[in-house]
């Protein structure tokens, strides 16, 4: 399981010309699932997404989390994160989870994130061609693994 986490001033997802998810200040997390990923890892992923300290405190140090700041979370499923890019000039998607399994895991992740951040979780559209827009704040970007 991989999460590419970006601190944003704003972010949105459009599908076929319509906005399906949008947030103000917070975190955009692109989520990739790999073969063998299990639901038992989801609480740790949620805790890292919501608790990772990427927002500045009064001293300007990254010492505050999404939960501390009251920001929002935009979750976007992105199977290309699980690609094997170590050789050649074309990615191999063999490491990526099957779409059915990834959808189940993604839906479960959304549900448990909403339990802790009820009004602040937006999502893209699983399996759709999405246009993701963001204003990266910093820029601050981290690749998290559970």
């Amino acid at each position: 399981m991989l999460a590419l986490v970006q601190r944003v001033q704003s972010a949105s997802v459009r599908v076929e010309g319509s906005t399906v998810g949008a947030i103000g200040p917070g975190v955009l997390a692109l989520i990739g699932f790999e073969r063998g990923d299990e639901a038992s890892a989801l609480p740790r992923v949620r805790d890292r997404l919501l608790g990772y300290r990427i927002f500045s405190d009064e001293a300007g140090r990254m010492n505050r989390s999404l939960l501390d700041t009251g920001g929002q979370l935009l979750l976007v499923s992105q199977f290309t994160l699980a690609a094997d890019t170590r050789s050649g000039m074309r990615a191999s998607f063999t490491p990526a989870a099957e779409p059915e399994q990834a959808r189940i895991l993604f839906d479960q992740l959304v549900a448990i994130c909403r339990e802790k951040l009820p009004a602040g979780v937006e999502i893209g559209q699983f399996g759709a061609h999405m246009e993701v827009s963001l204003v990266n704040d910093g820029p601050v970007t981290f690749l998290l693994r559970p």
Side-chain angles (χ1 to χ4, degrees), residues 19-102:
T19 300
V20 297
I23 62 169
V27 169
L28 166 63
L30 305 174
I31 308 294
F33 295 99
E34 298 172 298
R35 292 180 188 275
D37 285 346
E38 296 183 4
S40 61
L42 294 175
R44 174 149 169 78
V45 172
R46 177 211 47 213
D47 292 346
R48 296 199 79 205
L49 289 172
L50 302 181
Y52 209 71
R53 296 181 300 170
I54 64 173
F55 296 93
S56 298
D57 63 13
E58 298 76 24
R61 297 184 66 191
M62 281 193 269
N63 225 5
R64 299 181 75 209
S65 70
L66 192 60
L67 290 173
D68 296 330
T69 64
Q72 297 177 295
L73 175 64
L74 177 57
L75 293 170
V76 177
S77 178
Q78 186 175 355
F79 84 98
T80 60
L81 280 178
D84 182 352
T85 59
R86 293 175 290 179
S87 65
M89 299 304 287
R90 182 176 175 178
S92 167
F93 297 105
T94 302
E98 291 296 323
E100 302 81 28
Q101 180 65 19

